[in-house]
Amino acid sequence: MHTNHIVPPRVYYAIFGILMLCTYLTVQIAFFDLGPLNVVAALTIAVFKATLVVLFFMHVKYSTKLTWAVVLGSVFWLGILLALTMSDYLTRVWRTYG
Amino acid sequence: MWTGTPLFPEQASTMAGRVDALYFFLIAISVFFSLLIAGLIVFYAVRYRRRDPAGVGAAAHGGMALEIAWSVIPFLITMVIFVWSASVYMAISRPPDETINVYVVGKQWMWKFQHLDGQREINELHVPVGRPVKLIMTSEDVIHDVFVPAFRVKADVIPGRYTNLWFQPTKPGRYHLFCAEYCGTRHSGMTGEVIVMEPNDYQTWLSGGAPEGSLATTGAKLFSDLACNTCHRPDAQGRGPVLEGLFGKTVSLQSGETVTVDEAYVRESILTPAAKITRGFQPIMPTFQGIVSEEQLLALVEYVKSLQSLPVTEGTGVGEPTTRLPSPPK
Amino acid sequence: MTTALVPARHYLNDGYGIKSWLLTRDHKRIALLYLAGVTFFFFIGGAFAVLIRLELATPVGDLVSDETYNKLFTMHGVMMVFFFLIPAIPSVLGNFLIPIMIGAKDLAFPKLNLASWYIYMLGAAFTTYAIVTGGLDTGWTFYTPFSTVASTSAVIPAALGIFITGFSSILTGLNFIVTIHQMRAPGMTWFRLPLFIWSHYATSLIMVLGTPVLAITILLVAAERLFHFGFFDPAVGGDPVLFQHLFWFYSHPAVYIMILPAMGVISELVAAFCRKPVYGYPFVAFASLAIAVLGFLVWAHHMFVAGISVYAAMIFSILSFLVAIPSAVKVFNWTATMYKGSVSWQTPMLYAIGFIGLFTIGGLTGLFLAAVGLDIHVTDTYFIVAHFHYIMVGGTIMAYLGGLHYWWPKISGRLYNEWLAKFSALVIFIGFNLTFFPQFILGYLGMPRRYHAYPPEFQVLNVLSSAGASILGVGYLLPMAYLMWSLRYGRLASDNPWGAVGLEWNTTSPPPTENFAEPPEVTWEAYDYGSPVVEEHV
Amino acid sequence: MTVHHEESDINLRGVLGFGLGLFVVAVVVHLVIWGMFSYFNAREARHVEPEYPLAITQAAKTPPEPRLQVNPRQDLRDLRDQEDRILGSYGWADKNAGTVRIPIDEAIRLTLQRGLPARQENGR
Amino acid sequence: MSDVHAHPALAHHFDSLEEQKEAATLGMWVFLVTEVLFFGGLFATYAIYRTWYPDAFAAASHELDVTLGTINTAVLITSSLTMALAVHAAQLGQRAKIMVFLALTMALGGVFLGIKSVEYYHKFAEHLIPGPGFQFEKEHIRHAQIFFSLYFVMTGLHALHMIIGFGIMLVMLWWTWRGTITAEYYSPIEISGLYWHFVDIVWIFLFPLLYLIGRHAH
Ligand code: HEA
Ligand code: HEA
Ligand code: CUA
Ligand SMILES: [Cu+2]
């Protein structure tokens, strides 16, 4: 099992740097009018940052398959909640019952 | 004991037959599988009953073919049911293009209907047979639901939003209308009737000729029958406040507080007038508790509501202060 | 069969006194703490049910006021769902058996296990407080805006009670998942596990994934009531239907929390009382997982008339049909297990047979409801009430009783009176069907739910239902009585009175605190009746 | 040291495969339903001959006043706001008669200043 | 069976520290799954109302202080760094270093909460707390209330989690100080770290979704 893998601190500093850079980027981008892409950009950067935290700070990159399954599962489930709920709200314009 | 106990609702709308057909199909499937499973397990329990206390069953570890069979067959059956029911659902959810529209407002714990020509009803809905009717509904407070079992239709009535429900009655008669979404204390009392009439009777009813007049006209009649108009009159002989245009406004009470004239206040004024005495008037109004019924109360309230303001004379409009005090009554 | 040898030291006499129970870390004792709790709340919920049925025997509201009736059915639903049925099998039988069945000494987090019992009792305390200070009248479903704006009852304490108890569920599920992954004995591979374990694993997935959404939703209701946030208030732009989405996202999977453990019990009972492996073991195992996963995709079938889009309604309808397939697979596999089995007619098997029949009927009526065109007519009527009582009472409670009877010798070291037990099972079966079958007819006729006064033409069917409820009530009192009696006066049980296969039968009745004298090593398949390796252990 | 628990665990590929399969099924379901919905919609949109062609069809109109009140609380709030606005502002009451409207606070102040009309003996 | 020198931290029902550590880690991950779904309900609510009222959300989001929000984001990310370094020190059994990094993490957490309180106070002063005192200058007053309700519930819940995290750090500090944490037995630090990183991830999403809507306008 690789759960005892010790990550060298320089990796942490590097990730830290990228995260700060991304934060700066996301704030800057927000001040430009990209229309609907604003949300896309903001969320993409957020997902990217979260992925870095999960993989490196939380050691998932070096963890068991089970841990991967748990992480992916939680994201998938959140996706179910959002997707299926939106499938109601986004299609109400077509026709609602009642 | 069994007379008067129906076991199946009557079919009184064009959709009822379709819904019932689907229902019977599902019953058939259910009966089949229930008997199959129940029959098999009881049969096996008897046939393979343990005789030897140390007996062991004949292990069988399952065959792919059987597993696939009893996965695929239920899948196909359920898909058939799905397509059928989706078709019925689409039909129920889409009103035809030309309907008689009725506006409905549900509130705790009554239904108010208004027809396009102005007739208003409470807890009763008159419709003609053979023509599609669309209810355009909203709620004043919490979620309610209009349910007419004989028509097999139901739809939630939601505050802040309009929902629709349509049906086409096929048989004259009186049918239960229930509130089918729990809404508080008198949820079970929030019931009414849909009265389906022959076209001629419906026309008669529409023009107000039928005994069931609109609520406000009934109220008007009561107002004079009960001699309210002896005190509540706009001329100098009036001893009570002018009720024309009063509804919705604020009045000052003798106690100093101000109160808005809404349904509750009118109701209270009729039942316990001494409770809130309007400033500038003597407490001479008799109570009508026990003299008017609920229905009559509703009619009176509707009537007072419908009273339009009299032509404005100088300085008596809303919000215009006047330095003239109201004259004390004789 | 081994001789009846009661061990000198076992978990029940390993420490006396209230502290040894209230501060125990032993999963078996915690299971008994839960047993006390759930039984108590079952009888409270049952008392409310009795009052409901008494009121409904006449068409007018004469027994209790309408306000009281509204509180009665609400508290009946809340108590029965959150404080009885959701914890019953997992926290009693699951807690007791899971470590033993996988050959472990305890669950992964024993202190967390005890904490989850305290959390459960704390939540129950809040809810009981709500009951005694005026009650709750929102229905177990807490629909907005009624619960946030219009209800004048003890919504906030009850909501907090349910919120707190939810964490008990979450922690139990968490414990089970980690235990089943990490603490199986050597040789106990996934596909040698008893199906009881598979079911509880699937249940734990649901508990962990679904309950948090209930928690946040009920918290929002309490917050909206307190602070007038407006999430569900149309006056400020909120959507009352959003509450329903969030509520049912948990509450539909919750019903699978209530049935999957029962199905696990049935697998064990059928295998033990036919003395053969469950037919199609891997299919039954995967069907459990499929139910857990697919169960998250169907929630808006409770909202077909609530104002959702037609498109969404059709999506949820087709998915609801899909979730029925794994249940069908299980029922067929159990039936096939009985073929050429050595079928005993002892009480647990009677309950198992009852379950299969009644679950089939209840489940098939679920198909009526998934059929969206038909659900329009029957939603919010007694048809729904009948559907879920068939599955939850005719199904889960029968499985729970069957499991209690089956493992009673293991838990208590005593045997109960078989004839009384068989008689009670019969009384329960008859009472149950008499109570709830007429409700299908009532529902289709159009009698709405949550009505305490109804049109007189519905009375005869209601009277039948109430008569059945009284028989059912008596039926439940009987096992209470004779099981408790057996604790003192019942015959002592051997290690394996049923001649069944399973690690729990390889240890004493009752088991020692560490479950096994020697940690087991598993070299046989699940339910390997008749194999020489197993014979030696049985 | 002997292994005291079973090491083998879940098959991650199996789980991922199932998840992927589920996602695919979900997409297929959405497409199928979209297709069904469009088909049924088109069918329903067929114009159906009214059963009583001579019946006067009701044009899309709304009932006459007074309309059913939908949100009494809101109506009341609006009424109050409107009243407050009138109460607190200057304006013409009746231009022809030369009557002006002043804010009520002003009116109160002036009344206090000037006093109320006194009641005369033998008259009102 | 158990060897004579069973580690003092080894629980009786586990056979090895390794097994115990794996169980603890898996347990914490499963708990984080529940937290994802717990916040998930709020994100779903957010998604729906933002779709319904994009203008109100943009206008309301303007009232939030981007500078403070950005600083807070940076602070929290830094605290994640210090937390990761604390775990690293724990893996090497460097007691002093663990305590330093834990203290730093707590300090940064404190800064975050402090800035948050300032923000909340500003909102209170500007009558933007939902409820009877709510007052939003622009026309779409009612829908802005929904944004602020979401803002307070989401950030409030997040802050509550941080306070709990703070408490956990305190306990970890104490355990480290008294010597319970060694290179052999550092899993409490590791799983506390997992919790803290999760709280950071929630904020990583909250920040753009709450503070950066429609910033390009004026
Ligand atoms: C333990 C609890 C439990 C279980 C297991 C189920 C199982 C199912 N439920 Fe039920 N349900 C409830 C408890 C439960 N339900 C509750 C409490 C409510 C109401 C909540 C409220 O409003 O208060 C409810 C409400 C409810 C509704 C909403 C009705 C409404 O309010 O309008 C729907 C709609 O789809 C539904 C469907 C189903 C289906 C399709 C299944 C399926 O999983 C059933 C599958 C089983 C079978 C199908 C039987 C076995 C199979 C065979 C014998 C083989 C042949 C099968 C086929 C041909 C497919 N249920
Ligand atoms: C979860 C499990 C569960 C269980 C086990 C039960 C069990 C029973 N339920 Fe209930 N029920 C629900 C869950 C459950 N119910 C839910 C969720 C609702 C919906 C609530 C809502 O609409 O919001 C509901 C609603 C509901 C209704 C509809 C109310 C309405 O819509 O107006 C009815 C009506 O008959 C009913 C009846 C019964 C009966 C007769 C039993 C019987 O099985 C009970 C058996 C009887 C006993 C266990 C009593 C035995 C004890 C004694 C006789 C001694 C009493 C002692 C003293 C008083 C000191 N239930
Ligand atoms: Cu209105 Cu129930
Ligand atoms: Cu459901």
Side-chain angles (χ1 to χ4, degrees):
Chain A
M1 237 45 86
H2 292 291
T3 44
N4 285 328
H5 181 109
I6 299 186
V7 177
R10 64 172 184 279
V11 172
Y12 291 144
Y13 288 117
I15 299 294
F16 170 74
I18 302 178
L19 288 172
M20 293 302 242
L21 182 64
C22 285
T23 308
Y24 174 76
L25 265 176
T26 206
V27 174
Q28 288 307 318
I29 293 182
F31 284 97
F32 289 98
D33 187 355
L34 301 170
L37 282 184
N38 271 113
V39 183
V40 176
L43 281 176
T44 313
I45 298 181
V47 167
F48 179 66
K49 287 161 80 176
T51 313
L52 288 180
V53 173
V54 165
L55 283 178
F56 293 99
F57 283 170
M58 297 170 90
H59 300 156
V60 170
K61 186 167 187 291
Y62 316 101
S63 288
T64 60
K65 295 183 292 179
L66 187 55
T67 311
W68 279 85
V70 170
V71 174
L72 292 172
S74 69
V75 173
F76 187 73
W77 245 260
L78 183 58
I80 294 177
L81 174 60
L82 291 170
L84 281 177
T85 313
M86 292 311 274
S87 81
D88 171 27
Y89 283 91
L90 293 177
T91 58
R92 281 196 191 174
V93 281
W94 296 355
R95 200 206 292 185
T96 60
Y97 177 81
Chain B
M1 160 177 111
W2 290 101
T3 56
T5 300
L7 292 176
F8 197 78
E10 56 183 314
Q11 291 183 347
S13 82
T14 51
M15 288 305 302
R18 288 186 70 178
V19 173
D20 287 349
L22 180 57
Y23 183 60
F24 290 129
F25 178 61
L26 276 162
I27 291 190
I29 296 181
S30 305
V31 167
F32 172 72
F33 278 107
S34 306
L35 289 179
L36 177 69
I37 301 289
L40 280 177
I41 58 181
V42 168
F43 174 65
Y44 290 155
V46 169
R47 169 91 171 72
Y48 299 108
R49 187 174 186 174
R50 185 181 296 173
R51 319 273 171 213
D52 168 17
V56 157
H61 284 275
M64 206 40 160
L66 207 50
E67 299 286 348
I68 293 186
W70 63 46
S71 305
V72 168
I73 296 178
F75 173 73
L76 293 173
I77 297 178
T78 51
M79 288 303 107
V80 166
I81 304 174
F82 167 68
V83 173
W84 185 346
S85 79
S87 159
V88 172
Y89 175 72
M90 293 290 285
I92 297 182
S93 66
R94 190 185 181 281
D97 296 321
E98 278 143 21
T99 53
I100 298 177
N101 295 344
V102 178
Y103 281 82
V104 183
V105 171
K107 69 182 279 266
Q108 283 171 324
W109 290 281
M110 61 194 281
W111 295 105
K112 303 194 238 181
F113 300 96
Q114 185 172 38
H115 296 256
L116 285 185
D117 290 321
Q119 300 85 351
R120 298 165 121 217
E121 310 190 68
I122 293 199
N123 293 335
E124 275 186 354
L125 176 63
H126 286 81
V127 290
V129 71
R131 293 184 57 195
V133 175
K134 181 166 83 171
L135 303 182
I136 304 168
M137 325 183 278
T138 184
S139 162
E140 276 186 32
D141 38 35
V142 297
I143 302 183
H144 299 275
D145 186 295
V146 166
F147 175 38
V148 186
F151 300 162
R152 314 286 191 274
V153 289
K154 183 187 279 118
D156 271 6
V157 174
I158 307 171
R161 204 172 129 176
Y162 282 96
T163 50
N164 298 336
L165 178 141
W166 83 272
F167 53 83
Q168 181 171 328
T170 51
K171 244 171 53 179
R174 304 178 80 106
Y175 305 106
H176 285 300
L177 180 141
F178 295 123
C179 170
E181 183 59 62
Y182 176 68
C183 55
T185 311
R186 296 207 58 225
H187 166 63
S188 351
M190 193 165 159
T191 59
E193 282 193 319
V194 178
I195 303 167
V196 180
M197 314 173 99
E198 294 291 350
N200 296 333
D201 299 331
Y202 180 66
Q203 280 308 120
T204 321
W205 176 84
L206 267 184
S207 35
E212 281 120 340
S214 85
L215 221 49
T217 36
T218 316
K221 199 159 170 305
L222 274 170
F223 197 81
S224 67
D225 283 358
L226 293 167
C228 314
N229 53 6
T230 55
C231 297
H232 291 284
R233 46 203 288 170
D235 58 15
Q237 294 188 316
R239 283 167 285 179
V242 166
L243 298 180
E244 272 75 14
L246 181 70
F247 195 83
K249 309 244 180 9
T250 43
V251 293
S252 306
L253 303 177
Q254 245 168 41
S255 57
E257 38 180 290
T258 48
V259 75
T260 309
V261 179
D262 57 1
E263 276 116 322
Y265 176 78
V266 174
R267 202 190 133 85
E268 192 187 33
S269 299
I270 299 173
L271 292 177
T272 49
K276 293 198 173 73
I277 314 236
T278 312
R279 173 182 296 232
F281 292 92
Q282 300 294 334
I284 55 170
M285 173 166 169
T287 165
F288 288 84
Q289 181 111 46
I291 303 177
V292 285
S293 70
E294 253 325 301
E295 251 111 49
Q296 292 175 318
L297 261 176
L298 277 173
L300 281 170
V301 168
E302 278 306 307
Y303 173 67
V304 171
K305 262 172 102 162
S306 72
L307 290 174
Q308 306 289 355
S309 289
L310 296 170
V312 176
T313 51
E314 171 197 335
T316 53
V318 156
E320 288 170 43
T322 153
T323 55
R324 222 182 43 170
L325 294 170
S327 344
K330 269 193 130 69
Chain C
M1 305 296 172
T2 47
T3 50
L5 190 71
V6 182
R9 287 195 74 245
H10 49 80
Y11 80 100
L12 286 170
N13 61 23
D14 191 0
Y16 289 107
I18 196 101
K19 251 183 79 171
S20 76
W21 280 89
L22 289 182
L23 293 179
T24 182
R25 316 256 178 90
D26 182 2
H27 65 99
K28 300 181 287 301
R29 286 195 170 197
I30 295 177
L32 292 183
L33 289 176
Y34 269 109
L35 179 61
V38 305
T39 310
F40 179 70
F41 295 117
F42 174 66
F43 279 103
I44 298 200
F48 289 146
V50 167
L51 288 172
I52 290 175
R53 282 301 349 149
L54 279 177
E55 167 67 271
L56 290 175
T58 60
V60 295
D62 44 12
L63 189 68
V64 292
S65 72
D66 36 22
E67 272 192 39
T68 309
Y69 182 80
N70 294 342
K71 293 177 180 167
L72 281 179
F73 71 70
T74 302
M75 299 311 310
H76 163 74
V78 166
M79 284 270 128
M80 284 299 203
V81 168
F82 293 114
F83 296 98
F84 169 62
L85 209 59
I86 287 181
I89 299 180
S91 303
V92 176
L93 296 174
N95 255 328
F96 195 96
L97 293 165
I98 290 180
I100 304 181
M101 282 183 169
I102 65 176
K105 291 193 196 136
D106 205 317
L107 288 179
F109 308 116
K111 283 187 270 187
L112 213 58
N113 200 11
L114 183 67
S116 79
W117 182 78
Y118 275 105
I119 294 175
Y120 166 75
M121 295 306 275
L122 182 65
F126 268 83
T127 312
T128 310
Y129 172 79
I131 301 183
V132 300
T133 56
L136 178 71
D137 70 350
T138 58
W140 85 280
T141 46
F142 283 92
Y143 273 21
T144 57
F146 181 76
S147 63
T148 46
V149 171
S151 173
T152 53
S153 64
V155 176
I156 295 182
L160 286 178
I162 294 174
F163 176 79
I164 294 172
T165 304
F167 282 99
S168 168
S169 208
I170 290 176
L171 293 177
T172 302
L174 192 157
N175 230 332
F176 286 176
I177 290 179
V178 177
T179 307
I180 297 173
H181 271 283
Q182 307 282 38
M183 296 174 69
R184 288 164 284 128
M188 182 60 94
T189 60
W190 278 86
F191 287 97
R192 284 180 177 169
L193 285 169
L195 288 166
F196 182 88
I197 303 288
W198 279 96
S199 302
H200 278 77
Y201 182 76
T203 307
S204 304
L205 288 178
I206 306 179
M207 283 173 163
V208 157
L209 289 165
T211 319
V213 178
L214 175 76
I216 191 70
T217 309
I218 206 103
L219 204 61
L220 285 180
V221 166
E224 181 130 332
R225 237 177 122 77
L226 274 177
F227 305 120
H228 309 288
F229 280 140
F231 292 119
F232 310 122
D233 185 1
V236 278
D239 185 11
V241 177
L242 174 62
F243 169 80
Q244 296 180 37
H245 271 296
L246 294 175
F247 177 81
W248 288 113
F249 181 82
Y250 164 72
S251 297
H252 180 85
V255 311
Y256 292 117
I257 295 181
M258 295 189 269
I259 198 68
L260 276 170
M263 290 173 158
V265 170
I266 298 301
S267 291
E268 297 302 312
L269 295 183
V270 168
F273 291 93
C274 297
R275 291 232 181 101
K276 56 181 287 228
V278 174
Y279 193 87
Y281 172 106
F283 291 94
V284 177
F286 285 128
S288 300
L289 295 179
I291 293 176
V293 173
L294 293 176
F296 274 94
L297 305 178
V298 301
W299 77 84
H301 65 207
H302 297 267
M303 299 163 60
F304 283 145
V305 296
I308 60 175
S309 74
V310 167
Y311 175 81
M314 288 171 59
I315 297 261
F316 283 104
S317 172
I318 196 175
L319 290 173
S320 301
F321 282 111
L322 286 182
V323 80
I325 311 285
S327 292
V329 165
K330 286 193 169 198
V331 168
F332 290 129
N333 275 297
W334 289 323
T335 310
T337 309
M338 290 180 71
Y339 174 71
K340 291 203 176 153
S342 168
V343 183
S344 152
W345 284 28
Q346 288 158 306
T347 306
M349 188 59 181
L350 293 183
Y351 278 117
I353 294 179
F355 174 95
I356 299 177
L358 296 176
F359 172 74
T360 296
I361 297 178
L364 288 168
T365 58
L367 297 179
F368 286 62
L369 308 178
V372 59
L374 184 56
D375 187 65
I376 308 276
H377 176 62
V378 293
T379 189
D380 259 303
T381 66
Y382 265 81
F383 197 91
I384 313 293
V385 177
H387 156 74
F388 66 75
H389 282 93
Y390 255 80
I391 304 191
M392 300 202 293
V393 182
T396 306
I397 295 194
M398 290 228 160
Y400 176 62
L401 288 174
L404 264 186
H405 284 72
Y406 178 52
W407 282 295
W408 190 255
K410 184 58 53 182
I411 295 175
S412 66
R414 303 276 180 166
L415 296 170
Y416 52 82
N417 181 307
E418 178 64 21
W419 286 107
L420 258 184
K422 282 198 165 83
F423 175 70
S424 311
L426 187 64
V427 171
I428 290 177
F429 185 81
I430 293 177
F432 169 79
N433 280 295
L434 187 58
T435 311
F436 294 108
F437 194 83
Q439 293 185 0
F440 282 121
I441 306 177
L442 272 175
Y444 204 77
L445 277 172
M447 176 167 172
R449 275 170 83 172
R450 301 166 164 171
Y451 266 38
H452 85 122
Y454 51 82
E457 65 262 30
F458 294 149
Q459 180 171 18
V460 169
L461 290 164
N462 268 295
V463 167
L464 284 176
S465 180
S466 298
S470 38
I471 300 177
L472 190 57
V474 168
Y476 285 131
L477 288 174
L478 291 172
M480 263 290 283
Y482 65 72
L483 285 177
M484 302 223 20
W485 187 90
S486 78
L487 287 178
R488 220 19 170 72
Y489 304 108
R491 280 191 2 244
L492 295 175
S494 65
D495 289 2
N496 191 353
W498 313 108
V501 170
L503 279 180
E504 73 268 30
W505 305 111
N506 292 6
T507 185
T508 57
S509 303
T513 306
E514 328 77 63
N515 294 336
F516 297 98
E518 292 266 327
E521 264 194 50
V522 178
T523 52
W524 58 91
E525 300 301 313
Y527 317 113
D528 223 355
Y529 288 91
S531 93
V533 181
V534 164
E535 283 291 306
E536 168 195 324
H537 285 265
V538 165
Chain D
M1 182 141 108
T2 46
V3 170
H4 285 288
H5 62 277
E6 176 60 39
E7 297 274 339
S8 73
D9 210 336
I10 59 156
N11 180 353
L12 183 69
R13 319 200 72 195
V15 170
L16 283 181
F18 176 74
L20 195 64
L22 190 62
F23 181 72
V24 168
V25 166
V27 170
V28 167
V29 162
H30 275 274
L31 291 173
V32 165
I33 297 297
W34 182 55
M36 275 186 77
F37 178 78
S38 311
Y39 167 71
F40 279 126
N41 219 5
R43 237 177 48 157
E44 300 288 338
R46 261 184 11 236
H47 181 77
V48 177
E49 269 307 309
E51 205 170 313
Y52 296 86
L54 292 180
I56 303 162
T57 47
Q58 305 186 298
K61 64 176 185 187
T62 51
E65 294 290 325
R67 300 288 312 283
L68 288 175
Q69 235 185 341
V70 164
N71 193 339
R73 273 200 208 107
Q74 193 50 45
D75 291 348
L76 190 59
R77 252 184 274 149
D78 291 341
L79 175 71
R80 289 268 155 80
D81 288 342
Q82 187 204 13
E83 287 177 335
D84 284 341
R85 251 178 280 141
I86 298 179
L87 262 181
S89 61
Y90 291 89
W92 284 107
D94 187 349
K95 213 159 180 183
N96 298 336
T99 334
V100 172
R101 192 177 74 221
I102 61 174
I104 187 154
D105 296 317
E106 261 302 292
I108 292 174
R109 199 181 58 81
L110 287 173
T111 310
L112 286 174
Q113 214 173 59
R114 301 180 196 168
L116 288 167
R119 187 192 269 267
Q120 261 117 32
E121 297 294 306
N122 309 326
R124 62 184 79 104
Chain E
M1 265 298 269
S2 53
D3 29 34
V4 182
H5 308 290
H7 196 283
L10 180 63
H12 77 283
H13 56 286
F14 284 115
D15 295 304
S16 68
L17 269 185
E18 179 69 32
E19 188 189 358
Q20 184 169 328
K21 175 179 187 298
E22 268 186 56
T25 311
L26 180 61
M28 176 51 84
W29 273 112
V30 172
F31 177 70
L32 292 181
V33 168
T34 69
E35 294 280 34
V36 168
L37 268 312
F38 192 55
F39 279 96
L42 291 173
F43 282 107
T45 307
Y46 173 93
I48 289 162
Y49 286 128
R50 181 163 170 183
T51 318
W52 273 12
Y53 309 127
D55 302 323
F57 267 51
S61 172
H62 262 280
E63 301 291 323
L64 299 179
D65 191 332
V66 183
T67 319
L68 288 183
T70 313
I71 296 178
N72 256 354
T73 312
V75 163
L76 210 49
I77 294 180
T78 314
S79 79
S80 258
L81 173 67
T82 55
M83 187 69 226
L85 291 171
V87 175
H88 180 260
Q91 285 177 311
L92 298 175
Q94 299 165 326
R95 181 167 163 272
K97 251 187 167 179
I98 304 175
M99 291 175 61
V100 165
F101 283 123
L102 281 179
L104 271 175
T105 310
M106 288 169 68
L108 289 165
V111 169
F112 180 93
L113 288 172
I115 296 183
K116 212 101 244 28
S117 332
V118 169
E119 284 186 274
Y120 277 10
Y121 177 71
H122 283 167
K123 294 291 153 289
F124 173 68
E126 290 159 17
H127 297 285
L128 288 174
I129 304 214
F134 185 81
Q135 235 181 301
F136 192 68
E137 272 68 51
K138 302 158 199 169
E139 303 91 64
H140 17 249
I141 174 171
R142 299 200 191 110
H143 305 160
Q145 178 166 343
I146 295 218
F147 174 84
F148 282 105
S149 303
L150 269 170
Y151 170 76
F152 280 105
V153 173
M154 290 172 104
T155 57
L157 203 57
H158 178 260
L160 184 65
H161 279 77
M162 283 211 61
I163 296 175
I164 295 176
F166 201 85
I168 295 177
M169 295 300 138
L170 215 53
V171 173
M172 289 301 112
L173 204 55
W174 181 48
W175 284 13
T176 313
W177 180 79
R178 71 162 194 205
T180 315
I181 307 294
T182 63
E184 263 186 316
Y185 179 65
Y186 65 90
S187 83
I189 307 285
E190 165 127 31
I191 66 178
S192 306
L194 288 178
Y195 178 82
W196 191 264
H197 293 305
F198 172 77
V199 175
D200 184 18
I201 291 179
V202 173
W203 182 259
I204 285 177
F205 282 97
L206 284 186
F207 173 61
L209 289 177
L210 291 174
Y211 287 80
L212 301 180
I213 314 178
R215 284 279 163 185
H216 48 82
H218 79 58

